[in-house]
Amino acid sequence: MNKFSVVIAGGGSTYTPGIVTMLLDNLDQFPIRKLKLYDNDEERQRVIGEALEIVLRENAPEIEYAFTTDPDEAFTDVDFCFAHIRTGKYKMRELDEKIPLKHGVVGQETCGPGGIAYGMRSIGDMIELIDIMEKYSPDCWMLNYSNPAAIVAEACRVLRPKAKVLNICDMPVGTLRRMSQIIGKQPKDLDVRYFGLNHFGWWTSIKDKEGHEYLPEIRDYVAKHGYLTQVEVDTQHMDQSWQETHKKAKDLLAVDPRFLPNTYLKYYFYPDYVVEHSDIHYTRANEVIDGREKEVFSAAERIVEKGTAKNESFSAGSHATFIVDLARAIAYNTHERMVMIVENNGAIANFDDDAMVEVPCIVGTDGPEPLSQGKIPEFERALMYQQVTVEKLVVKAYVEGSYQKLWQALTLSKTVPSAKVAKALLDDLIEANKEYWPELH
């Protein structure tokens, strides 16, 4: 088997140790000759980088390893780039969540005004990262799971349409794990049909390899319990706020009982509920800072201090599992079936061809081939058209430096009650993001 060279862009992320753990656990299926971390925050990456240097020395000393802030060193001789960058870090995520709440609007990192603000910050850095990759390793594949995935994917489609970039999200994988727990199956034993946009979709079928349909059984369970399971299946989505989100799925299902909903739909279907149950002084960003951030960095610091990773471990959630499966599909042409974000081009028959949709794909060495999902109902189609137009307007606003188009995007968002509120929000977000956004006219 060929051995591969991998760079993780966003090396200082708390998700990086889990991805490295998953890579090490799967060296028999995806052999690695070189592993590099790349970040523009030298100090943040140093803590993770030094800890993982010890992990690799003790578990896979044959792998050449480095962590760097130099793009030449990071991207020269690379087969795969795993990208999970966060422009503005958690300081800006906190503002993405708290500024909208100040206006009585949903504060969430990928949905509504917070997602739009985050998207405007992310586009420039993502395009720069693609250009660096293509300069130093033009045959490299980028597996991008930087949020907000929908806006980032649209920006890639518009600004770098020929780049070897795969835009993905782990949420469908995490929810499928919950579904498999409900019916006593393994996720790998199930094939799904799904349509939507990123963080905005529905499952229409969950079958085992023999063709047995489990959707009615799962639907009955979700109608009573949401996606809460008796056994926790994913360390990544265990916090109290996530438990409440999984529980709320039963109310999402009630809106259209035919299909199983993506949990993020709660921000669009029940924005008043979300705002009412939010604490402007302590949002999800604070929960992550006090939880996963401290846990991962404390573990990394202990490893460095002791000089050994024995008795320490990093957990690999859906995030890490999915990325390794996707890399293997590209590397070995496994024709893995995976839900991915791709240009529609007829996959959803009655939806715009140039929309970036989230559907099951067969993945091989040429990338993803979307599977046809047929025509979708008018309710879901109308919701999706509204949301995809928001995403397109955000990218146009970025490219054109257009205040008007970004105001329109916020006004059109289902989470924002009026153009007046949208304008007040936009002016506050411009002030908060002046270091990151292009100038708007």
Side-chain angles (χ1 to χ4, degrees):
M1 296 173 80
N2 291 334
K3 291 189 174 184
F4 299 97
S5 174
V6 174
V7 60
I8 300 177
S13 166
T14 53
Y15 289 115
T16 296
I19 291 168
V20 172
T21 298
M22 185 59 63
L23 287 170
L24 293 178
D25 288 345
N26 288 275
L27 288 175
D28 57 331
Q29 299 181 68
F30 185 70
I32 295 173
R33 59 185 173 85
K34 189 181 295 186
L35 177 63
K36 295 180 274 190
L37 309 186
Y38 172 71
D39 207 304
N40 59 6
D41 185 332
E42 185 172 9
E43 180 57 28
R44 182 180 171 93
Q45 180 175 250
R46 182 189 59 76
V47 180
I48 300 293
E50 289 180 357
L52 290 177
E53 188 170 28
I54 293 168
V55 171
L56 263 79
R57 186 174 66 230
E58 294 180 344
N59 294 278
E62 71 282 2
I63 296 175
E64 185 181 334
Y65 173 77
F67 56 96
T68 181
T69 57
D70 176 29
D72 185 346
E73 181 184 357
F75 282 89
T76 297
D77 181 30
V78 169
D79 301 305
F80 289 95
C81 170
F82 298 171
H84 56 177
I85 63 173
R86 180 180 290 278
T87 302
K89 305 188 188 68
Y90 282 102
K91 171 192 169 188
M92 292 308 299
R93 175 176 178 174
E94 193 172 353
L95 293 177
D96 291 343
E97 295 170 356
K98 293 182 177 180
I99 290 173
L101 284 170
K102 186 181 82 171
H103 292 269
V105 175
V106 167
Q108 210 279 330
E109 69 159 335
T110 64
C111 303
I116 290 170
Y118 187 11
M120 286 287 288
R121 288 199 306 276
S122 300
I123 293 170
D125 283 352
M126 274 306 309
I127 298 305
E128 180 184 359
L129 199 61
I130 292 168
D131 291 347
I132 291 170
M133 178 186 79
E134 292 185 334
K135 176 181 178 181
Y136 293 107
S137 290
D139 294 326
C140 181
W141 281 95
M142 179 181 288
L143 281 50
N144 175 52
Y145 40 106
S146 306
N147 273 323
I151 292 172
V152 169
E154 172 65 9
C156 292
R157 183 191 72 82
V158 171
L159 297 172
R160 294 296 183 272
K162 296 184 179 178
K164 296 175 74 171
V165 179
L166 303 179
N167 291 290
I168 57 177
C169 177
D170 59 12
M171 198 62 220
V173 179
T175 305
L176 183 61
R177 279 180 153 184
R178 293 181 172 277
M179 293 177 183
S180 64
Q181 172 71 22
I182 289 166
I183 57 175
K185 296 286 182 180
Q186 292 298 317
K188 291 278 190 183
D189 296 332
L190 300 171
D191 289 330
V192 307
R193 291 180 66 80
Y194 179 96
F195 71 86
L197 312 171
N198 180 242
H199 288 179
F200 202 99
W202 296 262
W203 284 266
T204 61
S205 174
I206 299 99
K207 291 182 179 179
D208 62 21
K209 302 302 181 184
E210 287 72 46
H212 179 78
E213 179 63 76
Y214 287 96
L215 189 135
E217 182 181 341
I218 299 170
R219 188 171 52 202
D220 289 346
Y221 180 96
V222 174
K224 296 175 183 175
H225 310 288
Y227 291 122
L228 288 174
T229 52
Q230 296 300 311
V231 177
E232 189 51 61
V233 296
D234 187 357
T235 57
Q236 198 171 309
H237 300 128
M238 285 174 57
D239 293 337
Q240 182 60 35
S241 62
W242 267 112
Q243 298 305 313
E244 292 167 3
T245 293
H246 297 315
K247 184 178 180 181
K248 191 65 177 172
K250 66 180 180 180
D251 294 330
L252 303 177
L253 179 65
V255 178
D256 189 341
R258 292 173 295 180
F259 309 133
L260 290 163
N262 189 302
T263 55
Y264 279 86
L265 288 168
K266 83 169 188 176
Y267 300 108
Y268 302 96
F269 288 4
Y270 297 99
D272 49 350
Y273 169 89
V274 171
V275 172
E276 185 183 333
H277 288 79
S278 297
D279 180 356
I280 195 170
H281 303 294
Y282 195 84
T283 61
R284 174 66 186 157
N286 301 116
E287 200 174 58
V288 173
I289 291 166
D290 292 342
R292 190 176 68 236
E293 281 276 301
K294 285 184 178 177
E295 289 163 13
V296 172
F297 276 91
S298 294
E301 288 163 357
R302 287 194 299 271
I303 289 171
V304 173
E305 185 180 339
K306 293 188 295 185
T308 178
K310 291 181 175 63
N311 301 319
E312 293 285 353
S313 64
F314 297 108
S315 62
S318 323
H319 201 77
T321 308
F322 187 40
I323 206 80
V324 174
D325 287 344
L326 181 55
R328 288 192 68 253
I330 296 289
Y332 298 118
N333 202 35
T334 62
H335 296 111
E336 184 99 4
R337 183 168 172 156
M338 312 182 91
V339 175
M340 298 189 62
I341 306 164
V342 293
E343 198 165 358
N344 184 35
N345 288 329
I348 299 172
N350 56 342
F351 204 63
D352 291 9
D353 281 346
D354 65 353
M356 295 301 287
V357 298
E358 196 166 57
V359 293
C361 300
I362 301 299
V363 187
T365 50
D366 294 327
E369 294 182 28
L371 296 174
S372 172
Q373 302 303 299
K375 291 183 177 182
I376 61 176
E378 59 184 357
F379 175 68
E380 284 78 10
R381 182 177 61 162
L383 286 166
M384 285 171 57
Y385 189 76
Q386 180 180 16
Q387 180 61 20
V388 83
T389 304
V390 171
E391 293 156 8
K392 286 178 176 292
L393 283 168
V394 172
V395 174
K396 287 177 181 177
Y398 179 90
V399 172
E400 299 170 18
S402 172
Y403 180 100
Q404 194 81 42
K405 283 191 167 64
L406 202 56
W407 182 15
Q408 290 171 354
L410 283 160
T411 300
L412 190 59
S413 173
K414 195 167 164 49
T415 64
V416 179
S418 72
K420 179 183 177 181
V421 174
K423 192 175 190 306
L425 254 170
L426 176 54
D427 291 340
D428 279 0
L429 290 172
I430 288 172
E431 179 62 27
N433 285 275
K434 56 190 176 185
E435 293 179 40
Y436 302 98
W437 287 9
E439 190 173 347
L440 303 180
H441 306 282

